[in-house]
Amino acid sequence: MKIICLIALLAFFLTGCYYDKAELTYPANISATCDTTAVKYSVDILSIMSANCYSCHSGTAVSGGGIILDTYTGLKAFANNGQLLNSVLQNGNVPAMPLGGSILSSCDQNKIRAWINNGTPNN
Ligand code: HEC
């Protein structure tokens, strides 16, 4: 009986330790996977935009004030006039986006900034 209790106790502590470690390493993994050196329009930017912005700013949506951001040309115009970055940084210069949603992660913000700094390539 004693040995069974010991094993149960040991299992409890071992799994406890496992989860502690997972928690500690998780934030480090997130920053390690935020790669802004090779941002692509077709991969990174499109996925950020479709997940957070297309509900209002795609061709058929009427809730985006007529601002169409689901084409390369449409998005590039707002990238070049500074409103795209200002809106997702929520710095007060233009209405904060995504409207009514939570602010983009700093990784997503940095990817958008990197894409703009690279000259908004259609890659
Ligand atoms: C719930 C709907 C909604 C979502 C989601 C949304 N927008 Fe908007 N957006 C609007 C509306 C409405 C406007 C019209 C401008 C206003 O609010 O004055 C706008 C305006 C804009 C503008 C022009 C800024 C200006 O001067 O008015 C930009 C750029 C923009 N949105 C970018 C984005 C981006 C990028 C996302 C995703 C991260 C996003 N929006 C998500 C509704 C939305």
Side-chain angles (χ1 to χ4, degrees):
M1 189 58 196
K2 249 187 204 162
I3 193 87
I4 293 173
C5 287
L6 206 71
I7 290 170
L9 209 67
L10 206 70
F12 177 77
F13 279 119
L14 282 179
T15 49
C17 286
Y18 172 77
Y19 283 116
D20 285 351
K21 274 187 191 158
E23 261 171 57
L24 281 177
T25 53
Y26 196 52
N29 284 342
I30 286 178
S31 56
T33 55
C34 187
D35 183 5
T36 57
T37 57
V39 174
K40 281 184 162 250
Y41 172 72
S42 59
V43 180
D44 310 85
I45 302 301
L46 274 189
S47 76
I48 296 170
M49 294 301 298
S50 64
N52 300 285
C53 320
Y54 282 10
S55 55
C56 297
H57 290 295
S58 70
T60 49
V62 289
S63 42
I67 293 163
I68 302 300
L69 301 176
D70 69 339
T71 63
Y72 170 74
T73 317
L75 188 63
K76 187 183 165 76
F78 283 92
N80 287 344
N81 69 17
Q83 294 189 2
L84 174 65
L85 190 59
N86 281 334
S87 71
V88 298
L89 291 179
Q90 306 198 350
N91 58 14
N93 293 331
V94 296
M97 296 290 148
L99 194 72
S102 44
I103 189 166
L104 295 187
S105 69
S106 56
C107 180
D108 286 349
Q109 292 176 341
N110 288 335
K111 283 182 176 175
I112 291 174
R113 183 190 280 116
W115 179 66
I116 294 170
N117 287 345
N118 288 343
T120 62
N122 189 0
N123 56 0

